């Protein structure tokens, strides 16, 4: 089920329509500024839900409701269950993710990503008119899986009811999807392999940490089963593919980003992202996998895919675990 949820993620995100503003990703410098249409609200605004802070207190939504914090707004569909301390746990996991990703929702070079979709477009309800209409805060939408699968986008993420069981170890989806939002806030997508690879890599880092929140997730185990043989001879050609099976973006991507950061340092990913964002290829509006290759080679080496193929052979056993006890961690 978790695999299916991830496979559908990008499809669902692409279908999302309607946002809080009309801004596309752009660099703002000089006197050029981000243009956002202010929404004027004249109706009575729904009051936020007040929680106790007690992890033993359960709250089941009898109608669409929301919780507002300094960092985000948590929009909850009817039937969703949370706990008295759920916002505190979410804040903790988000800050942990920012630390391990090396990114925040702000960037240092003036890149402005498109705005988040509003709750009406995600949750298909009109209960939140007037609640943060200009999307000034980060939005977390929690809905049943039949309505939307988890996905991350600029300024917002979508999660399901199971993902609110953070104390029971289900916070890994929050990590993965929030990493997508952090990536989107700091630059272009770089193609599905780099996009999903970075999210799975960060998720692996976060879930391996000795933190105050448990995680029922192990990246080396979850992404162990990859039937495609990648070698020094075909690594670059495979990277150029737009996979029919979207799951392959996770399998190839996790391995490649792990290799990239282990061999060249995590700074290599940030350099690639910054360069591609500030100097995008002419005529490319949305990166395909192949479009990232010149930037990857520029900030690593011309023979990086040959080295990657060799690294996979040398580290093959790392991704062949058949039980959690067999898993080897990457430090």
């Amino acid at each position: 089920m978790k695999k299916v949820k991830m496979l559908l993620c990008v499809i669902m995100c692409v279908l999302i329509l309607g946002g809080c503003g009309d801004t596309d990703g752009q660099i703002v410098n000089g006197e050029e500024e981000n243009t956002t249409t202010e929404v004027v609200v004249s109706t009575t605004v729904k009051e936020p839900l007040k929680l106790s802070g007690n992890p033993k207190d359960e709250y089941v939504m009898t109608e669409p409701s929301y919780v507002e914090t300094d960092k985000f707004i948590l929009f909850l569909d009817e039937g969703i269950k949370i706990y008295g301390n759920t916002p505190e746990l979410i804040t903790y996991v988000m800050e942990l993710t920012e630390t391990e990703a090396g990114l925040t929702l702000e960037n240092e070079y003036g890149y402005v990503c498109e705005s988040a979709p509003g709750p009406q477009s995600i949750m298909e309800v009109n209960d939140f008119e007037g609640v943060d209409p200009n999307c000034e805060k980060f939005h977390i939408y929690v809905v049943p899986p039949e309505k939307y699968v988890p996905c991350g986008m600029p300024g917002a993420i979508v999660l399901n009811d199971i993902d609110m069981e953070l104390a029971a170890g289900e916070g890994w989806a929050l990590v993965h999807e929030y990493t997508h939002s952090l990536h989107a806030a700091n630059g272009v997508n770089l193609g599905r392999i780099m996009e999903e690879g970075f999210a799975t890599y960060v998720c692996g880092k976060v879930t391996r940490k000795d933190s105050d929140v448990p995680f029922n997730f192990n990246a080396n185990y979850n992404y162990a089963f990859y039937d495609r043989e990648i070698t020094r001879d075909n690594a670059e050609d495979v990277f150029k593919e737009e996979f029919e099976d979207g799951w392959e973006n996770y399998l190839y991507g996790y391995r490649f980003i792990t290799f990239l950061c282990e061999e060249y340092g995590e700074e290599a990913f940030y350099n690639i992202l910054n360069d591609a964002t500030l100097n995008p290829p002419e005529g490319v509006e949305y990166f395909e996998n192949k479009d990232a290759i010149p930037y990857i080679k520029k900030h690593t080496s011309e023979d990086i895919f040959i080295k990657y193929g060799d690294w996979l052979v040398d580290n093959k056993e790392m991704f062949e675990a058949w039980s959690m006890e067999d898993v080897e961690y990457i430090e």
Side-chain angles (χ1 to χ4, degrees):
M1 180 60 186
K2 291 178 180 177
K3 175 178 176 179
V4 173
K5 287 165 68 177
M6 282 188 174
L7 281 172
L8 294 174
C9 167
V10 169
I11 297 175
M12 300 302 294
C13 286
V14 170
L15 294 177
I16 292 170
L17 298 176
C20 292
D22 55 1
T23 302
D24 294 326
Q26 59 180 303
I27 301 297
V28 177
N29 50 38
E31 296 183 358
E32 182 182 0
E33 294 183 357
N34 176 27
T35 57
T36 301
T37 303
E38 294 293 323
V39 179
V40 179
V41 179
S42 59
T43 59
T44 302
V45 179
K46 187 183 186 79
E47 290 295 319
L49 183 66
K50 303 298 183 183
L51 304 181
S52 66
N54 188 336
K56 295 182 180 180
D57 290 342
E58 297 183 358
Y59 298 79
V60 179
M61 303 304 113
T62 58
E63 63 179 10
S65 305
Y66 74 99
V67 178
E68 185 167 7
T69 74
D70 291 339
K71 192 175 184 68
F72 59 84
I73 300 178
L74 180 65
F75 293 92
L76 305 160
D77 211 344
E78 182 179 353
I80 299 298
K81 182 178 73 174
I82 62 172
Y83 301 88
N85 69 334
T86 294
E88 287 78 12
L89 293 181
I90 291 175
T91 299
Y92 176 81
V93 173
M94 289 176 69
E95 291 177 350
L96 191 61
T97 303
E98 291 171 359
T99 298
E100 296 304 316
L103 299 172
T104 68
L105 294 172
E106 305 293 333
N107 62 75
E108 298 179 352
Y109 50 95
Y111 177 73
V112 179
C113 66
E114 61 187 18
S115 60
Q120 284 78 13
S121 61
I122 297 291
M123 303 183 71
E124 302 171 6
V125 296
N126 295 315
D127 297 60
F128 303 112
E129 187 173 358
V131 179
D132 192 26
N134 297 308
C135 295
E136 296 176 0
K137 290 186 177 181
F138 191 79
H139 288 187
I140 301 175
Y141 303 110
V142 187
V143 298
E146 59 268 22
K147 183 173 287 188
Y148 271 107
V149 296
C151 62
M153 64 200 82
I157 58 175
V158 178
L159 298 173
N160 294 150
D161 43 1
I162 184 63
D163 304 318
M164 292 295 94
E165 299 292 336
L166 283 86
E170 297 298 333
W172 63 269
L174 169 60
V175 176
H176 185 98
E177 305 309 342
Y178 187 50
T179 300
H180 281 316
S181 294
L182 291 171
H183 181 162
N186 284 269
V188 294
N189 67 296
L190 295 175
R192 291 292 312 286
I193 285 178
M194 294 291 281
E195 185 177 28
E196 297 299 347
F198 183 64
T200 52
Y201 172 76
V202 172
C203 193
K205 287 181 64 182
V206 171
T207 55
R208 284 195 298 271
K209 291 189 70 66
D210 182 16
S211 68
D212 294 339
V213 175
F215 293 100
N216 298 331
F217 182 87
N218 184 292
N220 285 23
Y221 178 74
N222 283 57
Y223 304 114
F225 315 110
Y226 190 18
D227 295 333
R228 178 86 73 103
E229 183 179 4
I230 309 297
T231 68
R232 62 174 12 231
D233 297 322
N234 71 353
E236 184 169 352
D237 288 335
V238 174
F239 188 97
K240 293 176 182 178
E241 293 183 25
E242 295 297 316
F243 303 124
E244 293 184 8
D245 180 2
W247 185 240
E248 195 164 354
N249 292 297
Y250 299 80
L251 297 172
Y252 189 111
Y254 175 61
R255 288 159 170 76
F256 184 75
I257 296 295
T258 298
F259 158 76
L260 177 72
C261 295
E262 188 174 274
E263 295 296 311
Y264 297 93
E266 292 183 355
E267 194 64 28
F269 176 82
Y270 307 133
N271 290 338
I272 293 166
L273 177 61
N274 292 356
D275 192 5
T277 300
L278 293 170
N279 305 290
E282 185 175 354
V284 174
E285 293 185 8
Y286 192 85
F287 271 62
E288 295 183 352
N289 292 330
K290 62 181 176 58
D291 296 318
I293 290 178
Y295 300 94
I296 293 171
K297 289 185 176 182
K298 176 181 176 181
H299 294 284
T300 56
S301 61
E302 283 293 323
D303 61 348
I304 181 174
F305 289 98
I306 293 174
K307 292 179 178 178
Y308 172 54
D310 292 342
W311 180 88
L312 281 175
V313 172
D314 294 340
N315 293 274
K316 188 176 181 180
E317 71 284 352
M318 183 186 298
F319 304 101
E320 291 185 340
W322 287 89
S323 71
M324 294 296 281
E325 288 75 21
D326 294 336
V327 171
E328 292 187 15
Y329 291 158
I330 307 167
E331 297 298 343

